[in-house]
């Protein structure tokens, strides 16, 4: 029996947290962009807060469209939706509009769409569809390759335009881990990141020597791995090859502004007026908020426009300055609560498709939330990752809204799946 209302059985805890985050996001966009205009009219479409208000208003019918579709619709047409998403990403190479050095937009007059924001939901649906197949066992290498291909297809299409957005898609690997992917994949990725950073700080031979010492300790002391001198030697050779390749990748694959941001983060360069200006000003703004903040519309860094892109990627600096440490904790608490709520809902699903999709939603939101706040706090390079429901932009808001409410529709429908 179908629901008589699109809101029947909806998880209102998640919906309320979503509404609070969107409202708080708009208030901070209003504050961060108000200094650019003497007009306080909230519907002023020439200002960021006016446009964001319109995006929020249009999210309402979008939510009802998502909830109106039958829950099985998303599973049935997941592959088609994924295919359309891939075509939209591929089309950027021909029809994409370059904005701030990145050709990741389709332009329709004064209106623009960023397909990478919508492709996250499409990729989540495709991955959920594949993993819910009764024949899929992620212990099988062939199945692992197929699952990873679903994740890396959009990454390959997005990375040339927007490396930050491409990085977000790697979080789908956590979903594979939940569904049975061998843990060595995660360990390999984690170790690779550490080796990459160490290779930027120390000479290659120093990193290899540290690796040799660690492998020797593991070989003789650890009971969790078998003592195999051949396997240990192969691991050391692979590590050595990776370490020696880091300089080449850093100098020839990374773009200059990416190299600069890593160098600033690692303390190799100090350029407070250039590439390091954003991070330095964001740290000043957050630190100046103290425990309770300076008050709504009272942030001096915010009012002075010292933090570039404050209404988008650096929106959390407004929270830190005007709402203080306690206000920042409230925002962080809301995000953490939403993510854990989604995980809780995912675990109670009656179908594997819905469960996998729920974990995809939680992983994407966590990655955006973690990287954005780490970025504005100066402990992660600036890579242009927005804060969900907070940062300015229609594509981002609608993409996250679709991502979340598709899952809430699945959760609402679970009572009718038996």
């Amino acid at each position: 029996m179908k629901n008589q209302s699109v809101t029947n059985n909806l998880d209102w805890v998640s919906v309320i947290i979503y509404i609070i985050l969107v409202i708080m996001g708009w208030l901070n966009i209003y504050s961060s962009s108000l200094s650019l205009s003497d007009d306080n009219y909230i519907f002023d479409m020439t200002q960021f807060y006016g446009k964001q208000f319109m995006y929020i208003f249009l999210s309402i019918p979008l939510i009802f469209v998502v909830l109106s579709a039958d829950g099985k619709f998303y599973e049935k047409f997941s592959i088609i939706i994924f295919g359309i998403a891939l075509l939209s990403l591929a089309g950027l190479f021909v029809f994409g509009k370059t904005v701030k050095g990145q050709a990741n937009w389709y332009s329709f007059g004064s209106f623009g769409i960023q397909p990478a924001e919508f492709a996250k939901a499409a990729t989540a649906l495709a991955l959920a569809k594949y993993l819910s197949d009764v024949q899929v066992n992620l212990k099988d290498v062939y199945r692992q390759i197929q699952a990873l291909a679903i994740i890396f297809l959009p990454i390959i299409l997005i990375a040339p335009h927007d490396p930050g957005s491409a990085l977000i898609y790697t979080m789908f690997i956590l979903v594979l881990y939940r569904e049975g992917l061998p843990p060595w994949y995660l360990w390999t990725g984690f170790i690779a990141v550490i080796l990459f950073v160490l290779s930027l700080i120390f000479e290659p031979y120093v990193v290899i020597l540290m690796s040799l010492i660690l492998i020797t300790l593991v070989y003789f002391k650890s009971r969790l791995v078998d003592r195999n001198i051949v396997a240990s030697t192969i691991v050391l050779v692979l590590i050595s090859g990776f370490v020696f390749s880091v300089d080449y990748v850093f100098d020839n694959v990374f773009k200059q502004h990416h190299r600069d941001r890593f160098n600033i983060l690692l303390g190799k360069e100090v350029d407070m007026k250039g590439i390091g200006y954003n991070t330095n000003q964001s740290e000043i703004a957050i630190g100046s908020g103290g425990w309770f903040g300076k008050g709504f519309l009272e942030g001096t860094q915010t009012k002075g426009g010292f933090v570039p892109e404050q209404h988008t990627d650096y929106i959390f600096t407004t929270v830190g300055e005007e709402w203080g440490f306690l206000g920042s904790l409230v925002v962080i608490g809301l995000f953490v609560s939403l993510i854990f709520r989604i995980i809780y809902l995912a675990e109670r699903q009656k179908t594997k498709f819905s469960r996998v999709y729920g974990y995809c939603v939680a992983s994407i939101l966590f990655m955006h939330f973690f990287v954005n706040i780490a970025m504005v706090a100066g402990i992660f390079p600036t890579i242009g990752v927005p804060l969900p429901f907070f940062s300015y932009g229609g594509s981002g808001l609608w993409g996250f809204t679709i991502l979340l409410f598709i899952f809430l529709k699945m959760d609402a429908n679970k009572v009718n799946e038996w």
Side-chain angles (χ1 to χ4, degrees):
M1 181 178 179
K2 294 184 177 180
N3 291 339
Q4 296 178 351
S5 170
V6 296
T7 58
N8 277 6
N9 307 311
L10 205 59
D11 182 67
W12 286 102
V13 173
S14 299
V15 174
I16 290 171
I17 296 175
Y18 164 83
I19 293 172
I20 293 173
L21 287 173
V22 170
I23 292 174
M24 293 175 72
W26 183 86
L27 289 173
N28 282 276
I29 292 172
Y30 180 78
S31 179
S32 64
S33 57
L34 188 62
S35 60
L36 305 178
S37 171
D38 295 326
D39 187 1
N40 296 348
Y41 183 55
I42 65 173
F43 302 112
D44 185 356
M45 291 298 112
T46 65
Q47 303 301 323
F48 294 124
Y49 54 79
K51 294 178 182 177
Q52 189 69 9
F53 190 90
M54 178 189 68
Y55 298 147
I56 294 172
F57 179 78
L58 292 177
S59 296
I60 299 173
L62 179 62
I63 290 171
F64 275 89
V65 170
V66 171
L67 295 178
S68 295
D70 185 80
K72 291 294 183 181
F73 168 85
Y74 299 108
E75 181 175 4
K76 183 178 180 180
F77 294 97
S78 57
I79 302 304
I80 295 175
I81 294 172
F82 183 56
I84 294 172
L86 292 179
L87 288 175
S88 70
L89 294 174
L92 290 173
F93 289 93
V94 179
F95 305 106
K97 178 184 177 182
T98 301
V99 178
K100 298 176 183 177
Q102 297 178 334
N104 53 0
W105 292 81
Y106 284 115
S107 179
F108 304 95
S110 60
F111 184 73
I113 287 289
Q114 194 172 6
E117 297 297 337
F118 301 97
K120 294 165 189 172
T123 305
L125 288 171
L127 191 61
K129 177 64 175 177
Y130 178 74
L131 294 180
S132 62
D133 189 323
V134 293
Q135 302 299 323
V136 171
N137 182 351
L138 287 180
K139 302 297 183 183
D140 185 337
V141 175
Y142 180 68
R143 296 298 187 182
Q144 293 172 12
I145 293 173
Q146 289 181 321
L148 291 171
I150 294 174
I151 298 172
F152 281 94
L153 276 174
I155 289 178
I156 292 170
L157 295 173
I158 294 170
H161 309 298
D162 189 355
S165 291
L167 176 66
I168 298 299
Y169 284 73
T170 61
M171 283 302 289
F172 284 124
I173 294 178
L174 289 181
V175 181
L176 300 186
Y177 175 71
R178 165 63 181 82
E179 297 302 322
L181 187 72
W184 69 263
Y185 277 93
L186 291 182
W187 282 110
T188 301
F190 181 69
I191 292 170
V193 171
I194 293 177
L195 289 173
F196 184 86
V197 174
L198 289 176
S199 299
L200 295 178
I201 301 174
F202 303 104
E203 292 295 324
Y205 297 103
V206 175
V207 180
I208 293 173
L209 178 60
M210 289 190 292
S211 301
L212 175 61
I213 293 172
L214 182 60
I215 290 173
T216 302
L217 289 174
V218 170
Y219 182 84
F220 287 105
K221 298 295 184 180
S222 177
R223 298 179 179 178
L224 300 178
V225 296
D226 295 331
R227 293 185 180 183
N228 188 320
I229 188 65
V230 175
S232 299
T233 303
I234 292 175
V235 169
L236 182 62
V237 171
L238 291 175
I239 288 175
S240 301
F242 178 81
V243 169
F244 278 111
S245 71
V246 168
D247 281 342
Y248 176 83
V249 172
F250 189 72
D251 294 332
N252 297 279
V253 177
F254 281 33
K255 294 182 179 180
Q256 184 59 48
H257 63 279
H258 294 142
R259 294 196 293 269
D260 290 338
R261 287 163 181 169
F262 267 101
N263 287 331
I264 290 290
L265 183 67
L266 297 174
K268 289 188 174 184
E269 297 179 7
V270 179
D271 181 13
M272 297 307 178
K273 294 182 179 180
I275 196 69
Y277 179 80
N278 283 28
T279 301
N280 182 55
Q281 291 299 320
S282 70
E283 291 174 355
I284 292 173
I286 293 174
S288 67
W291 282 96
F292 303 102
K294 298 176 180 178
F296 182 57
L297 303 179
E298 298 298 327
T300 53
Q301 293 291 115
T302 297
K303 294 296 100 181
F306 290 103
V307 184
E309 307 299 328
Q310 192 169 9
H311 60 292
T312 55
D313 300 340
Y314 282 83
I315 191 64
F316 193 74
T317 60
T318 308
V319 179
E321 183 179 24
E322 297 190 347
W323 299 11
F325 178 76
L326 294 180
S328 299
L329 278 184
V330 170
V331 173
I332 291 173
L334 286 169
F335 274 107
V336 172
S337 298
L338 179 61
I339 292 168
F340 274 100
R341 182 67 181 178
I342 292 170
I343 293 174
Y344 165 75
L345 295 177
E347 284 295 337
R348 73 176 192 178
Q349 296 304 300
K350 294 180 179 179
T351 68
K352 188 176 181 180
F353 177 81
S354 299
R355 183 185 73 224
V356 172
Y357 183 82
Y359 268 93
C360 287
V361 176
S363 298
I364 290 296
L365 290 179
F366 170 76
M367 188 64 167
H368 268 275
F369 157 72
F370 174 78
V371 171
N372 180 271
I373 292 182
M375 186 178 69
V376 300
I379 58 177
F380 199 87
T382 301
I383 56 174
V385 173
L387 187 61
F389 314 121
F390 256 70
S391 295
Y392 167 80
S395 293
L397 176 62
W398 296 337
F400 287 122
T401 298
I402 292 171
L403 182 75
L404 174 62
F405 277 88
I406 286 178
F407 176 63
L408 294 183
K409 176 61 178 182
M410 293 178 185
D411 179 67
N413 266 27
K414 73 182 185 302
V415 297
N416 296 321
E417 287 170 354
W418 289 99

